[in-house]
């Protein structure tokens, strides 16, 4: 059996799956102050009377890291940044506790200027003297060579409760994002560590021996102990849970598709290419911090069933705010939901109240109530559809760097729309019409998030850079620098990369059956000295992409 | 931040295209530049926006080039993309979407002349000229200043705009006596109808930041101020850098950034620059920051040592003199025409043009009508070692009635057999007509 739990803003949902079928589901109110209380509460309830030995895995989607950052409940962090030449330090500082030090790696990962121990000692004593317990260490091009970060980390480690190193956050280039990501990681480290130990204590206490996973923003999972050192990997997993939910409830394979969750306040949109959700190219953004954390590319617009409808200078405006439930449910203002009730698209709530609210709009628009309802409904659908179109355009206009991709590159062309959420059934036909898509409304959508979390597989990536002339190979995420023979070819580098990816995925918690590896970047260049090729510069990136665990027929198990 | 500008970046490294595997113009030319731009996170700045290049069309090429036998035969897709990238840059600026734009694209174009029998100096088509005529066609006539800061004389751009009084072409480059293509001396000063709109400032080998910036401040900026262009374009070669393998200058990333800050171009288009590890990553980051109005003062090369690349006192003196001489020439530009024309109705140029990249030789006779009202209609008789011989008539932008009439009449009377030509061409800029027969 598999247990999936989604800690949402209002409710915490749990599903217990037996052979991929819902055996039990339960819902409790989320205790925002003590998320772990809700989690343990819901686990207690759903596991009551179950044979704990039969539980194969437990997956949480939790907002603990996100909330801490959004609500500013973070720890003060000292940052030691070896910035080297380039952007001015003012453009790199994340807080007033950032200290810039010497030490610089070139874009090939070759040391240009060394770390100066004296500077580190000064920075450490200043930061420690200020009572700071957490340190982030980031160097420019540290993913190309982590030696400086490791060196500074070693010099500082004994003076801080924890030291976060930049190259461990992601294998991607982007110094400013690496600084922000490392800072966030350090700032939630304590809070998240406590959460992990409380969960592990609970498991030990109750005798729950199954591996426990946490959902990440990319829709993948990570084993809870592995996540303790990298709490920042667990931010913004909410939208991921809902997309993975749609993937698990409907058969999304085959063609491109739109996945949409229309709620009361917002509508969240994601895109699937051949059934695989698209990721943010660089990383997710949280509270103005652009990070290197891989996340599903989602767009959230302030347009939902309960958005307030008003008329300003003869123009009808919908959203972006929700100011209570729909009028039909006793809310203060007319909403798209009220319009849908008036149009007979749904039979919920108090129809008279809905009509009364819409008539207020009709009066201001100088039209009949049914016409006003039609206008509200149409504007709602058009608003959502244009956000979808803008997102597709953005994807299709993403710059590419080879002639082949520019001329033959695949264009995203969704043919299906998967939609969940309160107003889904009412808006689906019209949205499908506008977007030219076949519409699918998955069943059991109320447990979609917990279901999605339960079935999400562990994701991992490795970024390799080999220079055969120097005989060097770097694997950024692992902080690994290896010697390779100068005669190594792309094929041999690829083999090493795939082995390392498999090892990494296992370490992060993947079962062998779920390690479906793919190459996402594969480039090979000559290195030329004078007018002779002296070696190869080989760049590879491989991943276990987001998806559902093996054994689960896509959508099939539900029908 | 003060003076922040919205900058468009068209980055197209063409990682799958090279002239040959070890040729300087090869796949990884912009690889380390990409690394540096990505690591610095430049694309995360709100005022730096990356755009995908559009594709230039055959019509865009035919608006400015006479390709033999036709455009399709002398280009590859990579050229349509790099010219398309330049067009996208111009498009974003002219539509007002951004304040300025940098087309960081390859392959380059400034050695491609009006007639194209093949590739010269790694260039097949002149991507700036294709861009300029595209936007002149779309947005109406514009006065344009092209400042060519590549280390090599941009003989192609000079050739294309030689007779155009509305396009100011200023090139600063390593002295032609010491470097390909061997041209670009101060006495190359524009055709008889466009004297002074071609300006050449040859600089001695080992000129450093100081020398370049002196020419910029004392010569280029004053001339631009007087010419009053609608658009300033930096034909931005990066091979003046002190690490460039095929040139002998001492320019640095700081110098390039400062140059772009002072020049303040609307559009910059990458030309040459082959120090792919030592220079390009830093020069490009410097240029992007400077164009966006961001602080570039911390950008420098790993081995930067200003003392070791300082120019000698002798060079400083020489550059000061050259600058003064060229400025004097510019001031007297209107006084030369009568002496050059000597009452003739037409002026003729006979040239031997070598296409080093493709090993083609061309013999060309170009005739322009002496005209005080427009650039003058042009005829070209060109014979290449490929065996092709062509004859072309060009009616320029904003042509006067007489040049149009004579141009049309000339084209109408052409006889292939009599001329011994395999192809006849008519390029009529104002009517956007391109005929080949």
């Amino acid at each position: 059996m598999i247990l999936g739990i989604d800690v949402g803003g209002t409710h915490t949902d749990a599903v217990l799956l037996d052979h991929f079928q819902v055996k039990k589901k339960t819902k409790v109110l989320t205790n925002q102050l003590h998320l772990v209380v809700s989690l343990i509460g819901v686990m207690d309830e759903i596991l009551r009377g179950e044979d704990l030995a039969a539980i194969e895995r437990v997956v949480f989607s939790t907002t603990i890291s996100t909330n801490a950052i959004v609500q500013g409940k973070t720890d003060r962090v000292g940052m030691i940044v070896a910035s080297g030449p380039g952007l001015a330090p003012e453009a790199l500082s994340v807080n007033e506790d950032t200290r810039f030090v010497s030490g610089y790696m070139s874009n090939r990962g070759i040391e240009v200027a060394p770390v100066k121990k004296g500077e580190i000692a000064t920075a450490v004593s200043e930061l420690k003297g200020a009572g700071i317990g957490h340190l982030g260490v980031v160097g420019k091009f540290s993913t190309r060579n982590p030696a400086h970060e490791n060196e500074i980390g070693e010099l500082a480690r004994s003076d801080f409760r924890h030291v976060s190193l930049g190259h461990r956050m992601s294998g991607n280039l982007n110094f400013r994002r690496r600084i922000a990501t490392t800072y966030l990681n350090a700032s939630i480290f304590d809070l998240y560590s406590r959460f992990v130990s409380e969960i592990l204590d609970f498991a030990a206490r109750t005798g729950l021996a199954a591996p426990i996973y946490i959902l990440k923003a990319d829709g993948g999972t990570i084993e809870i102990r592995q996540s303790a050192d990298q709490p920042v990997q667990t931010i913004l997993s909410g939208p991921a849970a809902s997309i993975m939910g749609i993937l698990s409830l409907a058969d999304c394979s085959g063609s491109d598709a739109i996945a949409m969750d229309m709620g009361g306040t917002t509508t969240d949109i994601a895109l699937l290419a051949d059934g695989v959700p698209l990721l943010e190219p660089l990383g997710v953004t949280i509270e103005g911090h652009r990070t290197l954390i891989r996340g599903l590319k989602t767009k959230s617009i302030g347009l939902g069933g309960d958005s307030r409808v008003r008329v300003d200078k003869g123009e009808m405006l919908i959203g972006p705010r929700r100011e209570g439930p729909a009028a039909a449910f006793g809310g203060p203002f007319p909403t798209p939901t009220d319009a849908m009730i008036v149009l007979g698209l749904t039979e919920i709530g108090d129809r008279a109240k809905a009509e009364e609210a819409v008539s207020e709009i009709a009066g201001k628009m100088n039209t009949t109530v049914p016409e006003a309802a039609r206008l509200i409904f149409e504007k709602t659908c058009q608003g959502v559809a244009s956000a979808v179109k803008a997102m597709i355009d953005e994807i299709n206009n993403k710059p590419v760097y080879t002639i082949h991709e520019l001329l033959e590159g695949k264009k995203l062309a969704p043919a299906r729309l998967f939609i969940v959420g309160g107003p889904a059934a009412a808006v689906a036909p019209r949205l499908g019409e506008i977007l030219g898509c076949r519409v699918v409304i998955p069943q059991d959508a109320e447990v979609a998030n917990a279901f999605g979390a339960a079935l999400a597989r562990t994701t991992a990536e490795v970024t390799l850079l080999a220079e055969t002339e120097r005989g060097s190979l770097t694997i950024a995420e692992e902080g690994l620098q290896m010697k390779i023979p100068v005669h190594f070819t792309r094929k041999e580098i690829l083999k090493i990369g795939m082995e390392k990816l498999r090892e990494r995925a296992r370490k992060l918690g993947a079962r062998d059956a779920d390690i479906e590896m793919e190459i996402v970047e594969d480039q090979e260049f000559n290195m030329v000295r004078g007018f002779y090729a002296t070696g190869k510069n080989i760049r590879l990136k491989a991943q276990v992409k987001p998806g559902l665990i093996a054994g689960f027929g896509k959508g099939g198990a539900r029908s | 931040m003060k003076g922040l500008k919205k900058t468009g970046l068209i980055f197209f490294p063409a990682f799958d295209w090279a002239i040959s595997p070890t040729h300087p113009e090869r796949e990884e030319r912009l690889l380390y530049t990409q690394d540096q731009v990505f690591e610095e996170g430049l694309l995360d700045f709100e005022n730096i926006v990356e755009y995908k290049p559009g594709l230039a069309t055959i019509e865009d090429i035919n608006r400015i080039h006479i390709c033999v036998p036709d455009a399709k035969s002398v280009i590859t897709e990579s050229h349509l993309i790099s010219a398309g990238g330049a067009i996208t840059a111009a498009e974003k600026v002219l539509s007002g979407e951004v304040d300025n734009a940098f087309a960081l694209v390859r392959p380059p174009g400034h050695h491609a002349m009006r007639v194209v029998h093949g590739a010269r100096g790694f260039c097949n088509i002149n991507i700036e000229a294709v861009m300029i005529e595209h936007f002149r066609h779309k947005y109406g006539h514009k006065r344009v200043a092209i400042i060519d800061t590549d280390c090599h004389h941009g003989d192609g751009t000079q050739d294309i705009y030689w007779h155009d009084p509305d396009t100011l072409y200023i090139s600063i480059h390593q002295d032609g006596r010491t470097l390909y293509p061997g041209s670009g001396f101060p006495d190359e000063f524009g055709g008889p109808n466009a004297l002074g709109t071609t300006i050449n400032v040859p600089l001695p080998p080992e000129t450093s930041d100081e020398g370049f910036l002196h020419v910029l401040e004392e010569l280029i900026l004053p001339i631009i101020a007087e010419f009053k262009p609608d658009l300033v374009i930096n034909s931005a070669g990066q091979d003046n850098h002190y690490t460039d393998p095929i040139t002998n200058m001492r320019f640095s990333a700081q110098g390039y950034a400062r140059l772009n800050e002072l020049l303040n171009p609307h559009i910059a288009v990458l030309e040459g620059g082959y120090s792919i590890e030592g220079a390009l990553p830093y020069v490009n980051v410097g240029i992007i920051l400077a164009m966006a109005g961001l602080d570039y003062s911390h950008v420098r090369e790993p081995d930067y040592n200003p003392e070791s690349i300082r120019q000698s006192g002798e060079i400083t003196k020489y550059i000061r003199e050259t600058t003064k001489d060229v400025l004097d020439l510019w001031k007297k530009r209107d006084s030369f025409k009568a002496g050059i024309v000597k009452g003739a109705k037409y002026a003729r140029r006979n040239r031997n043009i070598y296409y080093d990249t493709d090993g083609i030789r061309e013999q060309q006779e170009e005739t322009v009508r002496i005209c005080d009202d427009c650039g003058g209609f042009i005829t070209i008789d060109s014979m290449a070692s490929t065996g092709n011989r062509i004859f072309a008539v060009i009616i320029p932008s904003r042509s006067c009635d007489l040049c149009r009439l004579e141009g049309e009449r000339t084209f109408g009377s052409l006889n292939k057999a009599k001329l011994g030509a395999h192809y006849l061409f008519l390029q009529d800029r104002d009517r956007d007509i391109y005929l080949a027969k």
Side-chain angles (χ1 to χ4, degrees):
Chain A
M1 287 187 292
I2 299 173
L3 173 60
I5 300 174
D6 175 53
V7 183
T10 319
H11 292 109
T12 294
D13 288 291
V15 284
L16 185 64
L17 306 182
D18 190 3
H19 293 93
F20 301 116
Q21 302 288 339
V22 178
K23 181 177 181 194
K24 249 194 226 177
K25 52 187 172 185
T26 182
K27 189 188 276 293
V28 299
L29 279 174
T30 301
N31 179 339
Q32 284 295 350
L33 289 174
H34 303 285
L35 291 181
V36 79
V37 173
S38 334
L39 259 175
I40 291 173
V42 84
M43 287 207 309
D44 243 347
E45 188 180 323
I46 204 161
L47 294 176
R48 196 168 301 144
E50 297 294 338
D51 172 17
L52 290 187
I55 305 285
E56 300 154 70
R57 64 187 234 137
V58 178
V59 188
F60 300 137
S61 155
T62 155
T63 50
I64 185 155
S65 304
T66 308
N67 286 356
I69 293 167
V70 172
Q71 294 162 7
K73 289 176 184 160
T74 50
D75 288 324
R76 190 170 164 191
V77 174
M79 295 293 293
I80 295 183
V81 176
S83 60
L87 284 180
E90 298 79 65
L92 298 169
S93 222
V94 272
N95 61 13
E96 54 214 31
D97 299 317
T98 304
R99 299 287 179 275
F100 292 93
V101 299
S102 305
Y104 175 40
M105 294 290 179
S106 75
N107 50 36
R108 289 174 55 203
I110 297 170
E111 181 179 81
V112 179
V115 169
K116 290 183 180 158
K117 290 195 168 64
E119 287 179 8
I120 307 303
T122 308
V124 165
S125 80
E126 276 177 28
L127 296 170
K128 199 183 165 193
I132 295 170
H134 295 274
L135 185 71
V137 176
V138 186
K140 188 172 283 181
F141 286 114
S142 64
T143 52
R144 294 283 163 88
N145 183 345
H148 287 169
E149 281 183 4
N150 288 336
E151 187 183 343
I152 298 170
E154 281 317 309
L155 290 169
R157 198 167 308 282
S158 59
D159 290 291
F160 294 90
R161 282 210 290 287
H162 182 259
V163 178
S164 298
L165 301 180
H167 69 275
R168 293 287 166 155
M169 303 296 137
S170 159
N172 288 340
L173 295 178
N174 197 316
F175 189 44
R176 297 172 84 211
R177 284 177 183 256
R178 192 175 311 124
I179 293 171
T181 311
T182 310
Y183 162 76
L184 291 175
N185 195 65
S187 77
I188 55 174
F189 180 81
D190 267 2
L191 177 92
Y192 188 81
S193 297
R194 275 198 302 278
F195 165 79
V196 170
S197 32
E198 281 169 337
I199 296 291
L200 292 175
D201 284 352
F202 168 81
R205 221 170 37 240
T206 50
L208 179 64
I212 301 175
Y213 296 88
I214 304 289
L215 192 72
K216 303 185 295 170
D218 69 353
T221 58
I222 180 169
E223 196 275 320
I224 193 164
R225 285 182 188 83
Q226 292 296 325
S227 74
D229 207 38
Q230 300 253 320
V232 70
Q233 303 289 349
T234 67
I235 60 170
L236 294 181
S237 61
S242 108
I243 302 306
M244 298 315 287
I246 289 178
L247 278 181
S248 62
L249 294 174
D251 182 6
C252 302
S253 62
S255 59
D256 298 344
I258 304 157
M260 190 183 287
D261 182 353
M262 192 169 193
T265 317
T266 60
T267 298
D268 295 334
I269 306 158
L271 297 168
L272 309 172
D274 285 340
V276 179
L278 294 182
L279 297 166
E280 276 293 347
L282 288 173
V284 296
T285 298
I286 182 166
E287 286 298 290
H289 293 288
R290 293 169 196 262
T291 75
L292 282 170
I293 299 305
R294 252 166 55 123
L296 298 186
K297 191 171 181 65
T298 55
K299 183 169 180 170
S300 184
I301 56 166
L303 188 52
D306 298 343
S307 294
R308 182 183 167 180
V309 181
R310 64 204 164 89
V311 177
D312 186 32
K313 297 187 186 90
E315 194 194 348
M316 190 205 300
L317 302 168
I318 309 179
R321 293 177 64 97
R322 173 187 190 266
E323 307 198 20
F329 290 91
F333 299 110
T335 66
T337 298
D338 296 310
M340 293 170 207
I341 293 168
V342 170
L343 293 172
L345 296 169
T346 178
E347 285 171 8
I348 53 172
D350 182 336
R351 190 182 166 89
K353 281 185 184 164
E355 274 177 359
E356 191 191 324
V358 173
S359 76
E360 178 201 324
I361 301 294
K364 288 181 183 160
M365 299 291 292
N366 217 355
T367 183
T368 62
V369 173
E371 179 60 11
R374 200 193 60 76
L375 287 172
I376 295 169
F377 177 72
E378 182 64 16
K379 194 168 170 116
T380 304
C381 293
Q382 292 290 353
V384 171
S386 70
V388 171
K389 285 177 189 163
M391 198 171 167
I392 296 169
D393 275 353
E394 189 199 321
I395 305 273
N396 284 338
N397 284 315
K398 188 170 83 78
V400 293
Y401 297 148
T402 60
I403 295 166
H404 177 78
E405 287 171 288
L406 189 81
L407 300 178
E408 332 261 327
K410 179 182 179 300
K411 292 264 187 231
L412 192 75
R416 286 171 303 160
L417 166 66
F418 296 96
I419 179 167
V420 296
V427 296
R430 181 65 186 131
L431 272 180
E433 232 170 74
I434 303 173
L435 291 166
C437 288
R438 194 160 64 76
V439 187
V440 182
I441 305 173
Q443 299 303 307
D444 288 325
E446 80 281 2
V447 290
N449 290 17
F451 205 103
L455 297 180
R457 70 160 81 113
T458 298
T459 54
E461 25 170 9
V462 289
T463 309
L464 281 79
L465 172 66
E467 282 190 13
T468 59
E469 185 195 6
R470 288 200 290 148
S472 75
L473 171 64
T474 308
I475 300 179
E477 291 82 355
E478 295 282 315
L480 198 68
Q481 297 257 290
M482 290 169 62
K483 276 278 157 210
I484 50 166
V486 291
H487 58 76
F488 256 35
T489 62
R490 182 188 148 278
K491 211 172 141 189
E492 284 148 322
I493 305 292
L494 192 65
K495 196 163 157 253
I496 298 176
M498 292 317 223
E499 276 165 23
K500 292 292 172 189
L501 177 60
R502 187 179 298 281
E503 279 172 28
R504 184 171 169 80
R506 278 188 190 136
K507 192 174 81 186
L508 296 176
R511 299 180 309 169
D512 279 359
D514 297 326
I515 305 179
E516 197 182 298
M517 300 188 287
E518 65 171 8
I519 301 162
V520 280
E521 255 176 60
D522 182 357
Q523 292 178 308
E524 179 181 54
F525 298 95
N526 284 326
M527 295 197 68
V528 179
R529 294 288 173 271
F531 289 92
Y532 299 97
T534 52
K536 299 279 186 198
N537 182 309
I538 299 165
R539 296 164 174 220
L540 295 168
K541 202 181 203 29
Q543 69 169 358
V544 176
K545 66 186 171 195
L548 305 177
I549 53 172
F552 179 72
K554 287 166 189 160
R558 305 286 311 156
S559 53
Chain B
M1 209 173 288
K2 226 175 79 182
L4 217 56
K5 293 193 200 96
K6 191 156 188 192
T7 296
L9 183 66
I10 294 85
F11 183 57
F12 192 77
F15 285 144
D16 50 355
W17 186 85
I19 290 177
S20 73
T22 58
H23 193 282
E25 191 52 65
R26 63 178 182 267
E27 292 93 341
E28 73 271 32
R29 189 172 157 223
L30 292 174
L31 182 64
Y32 304 98
T33 292
Q34 173 197 258
D35 287 349
Q36 204 74 27
V37 168
F38 282 10
E39 176 69 353
E40 297 290 356
L42 296 187
L43 300 175
D44 280 337
F45 283 91
E46 297 289 344
N47 63 320
I48 299 176
V49 192
E50 188 184 13
Y51 298 101
K52 194 175 183 174
L55 281 176
T57 62
I58 297 295
E59 288 72 38
D60 288 325
I61 296 170
N62 288 341
R63 210 171 272 131
I64 193 70
H65 285 297
I66 307 286
C67 297
V68 186
D70 55 44
K72 277 205 178 104
S73 323
V74 299
I75 57 154
T76 64
E77 278 141 350
S78 64
H79 300 99
L80 292 178
I81 301 172
S82 75
I87 289 172
T88 304
E91 197 66 46
K92 300 297 170 187
V93 172
L94 285 158
S95 66
E97 215 170 298
V98 296
D99 298 315
N100 55 32
F102 185 13
L104 201 44
V105 296
R106 54 181 288 269
H110 78 151
H111 294 302
M113 296 187 170
R114 192 194 304 269
V115 176
V116 179
H117 287 281
R120 316 179 58 244
F122 321 160
C123 306
N124 296 50
I125 55 168
N126 195 301
I127 62 177
E128 281 100 341
V130 169
M131 164 187 85
I132 290 168
E133 298 316 315
H134 175 94
F135 70 66
R136 278 178 169 166
H137 170 64
K138 185 163 172 188
Y139 290 92
H141 199 77
K142 302 267 179 212
R143 270 171 89 76
V144 175
I146 307 167
I147 313 306
D148 190 327
T149 54
D150 191 279
C151 193
H152 303 86
H153 176 232
D155 53 350
T157 314
Q158 168 168 308
D159 173 66
I160 290 171
Y161 291 110
W162 186 249
H163 297 295
D164 182 350
D166 294 325
T167 307
L168 173 65
Y169 175 72
I170 305 180
S171 178
I172 45 173
H173 47 264
Q174 184 174 327
D175 195 311
R177 289 167 296 189
T178 63
L179 190 68
Y180 177 89
S183 53
F185 298 98
D187 62 350
E188 294 162 40
F189 196 58
N193 300 329
L195 288 165
T197 61
T198 296
I199 306 266
N200 281 294
V201 191
L203 298 173
E206 303 189 346
T207 296
S208 53
D209 293 2
E210 190 190 339
F212 285 93
L213 297 174
H214 176 81
V215 177
L216 180 69
E217 288 176 289
E218 300 302 322
L219 180 80
I220 297 175
L221 294 179
I223 291 177
I224 291 176
E226 215 179 316
F227 183 78
K228 293 191 179 65
D230 300 308
L231 283 170
V232 175
I233 295 161
N234 181 4
S235 193
Q238 304 183 349
D239 41 5
N240 290 298
H241 195 265
Y242 64 87
T243 60
D244 197 273
I246 58 179
T247 67
N248 314 93
M249 302 300 248
R250 292 181 167 184
F251 212 24
S252 73
Q254 275 296 311
Y256 272 105
R258 177 80 181 137
L259 180 142
N260 279 278
E261 184 182 34
L262 290 171
L263 182 63
N264 192 16
H266 295 93
I267 303 160
V269 179
L270 176 67
E271 281 292 339
Y274 301 97
S275 174
I276 64 172
E277 284 177 47
L280 266 58
Y282 313 100
V283 170
N284 283 311
V285 167
I287 293 177
I288 295 166
L289 289 176
M291 286 184 78
L294 294 160
D295 184 351
Y296 61 78
S297 64
H298 293 258
V299 176
R300 70 184 60 89
E301 303 80 349
D303 61 351
Y304 180 64
N305 177 355
E307 288 314 312
S308 71
I309 54 168
R310 198 175 291 284
Q311 70 191 28
S312 69
E314 203 181 322
I315 288 176
T316 304
K317 188 163 164 282
Y318 181 87
I319 292 174
R320 284 179 188 276
E321 282 163 13
T322 307
T323 305
K324 200 177 152 298
D325 292 348
V326 176
L327 195 61
D328 284 345
L329 209 57
W330 157 260
K331 283 179 182 155
K332 289 187 253 170
R333 64 192 177 280
D334 295 330
S335 64
F336 303 124
K337 187 163 182 175
I340 292 171
V341 171
K342 296 192 187 86
K345 286 175 84 172
Y346 296 91
R348 217 154 253 137
R349 286 203 287 175
N350 277 291
R351 290 179 297 161
N352 287 304
I353 298 161
Y354 182 56
Y355 293 68
D356 59 311
T357 306
D358 281 350
I360 298 168
R361 285 180 191 283
E362 176 194 358
Q363 214 180 353
Q364 190 188 102
E365 182 177 84
E366 181 208 71
T367 308
V368 65
R369 178 175 175 269
I370 303 300
C371 184
D372 289 329
D373 302 316
C374 72
F377 95 88
I378 298 164
T379 59
I380 294 173
D381 183 355
S382 157
M383 195 157 58
S385 56
T386 52
N388 283 325
R389 182 168 188 175
I390 65 117
F391 196 91
V393 175
I394 292 131
I395 301 173
S397 300
R398 302 210 290 181
S399 61
C400 68
D401 293 345
L402 222 62
C403 281
R404 162 161 304 283
L405 201 69
E406 272 203 49
E408 285 171 355
R409 193 181 297 152
T410 306
F411 186 70
S413 67
L414 293 181
N415 181 316
K416 261 190 199 172
K418 216 164 126 193
L419 289 164
H422 303 96
Y423 305 96
L424 304 175
F425 298 96
L426 171 71
Q427 199 174 59
D428 183 340
R429 232 32 86 60
D430 287 335
R431 297 196 178 156
D432 201 31
I433 292 170
Y434 182 81
L435 292 176
K437 59 183 187 188

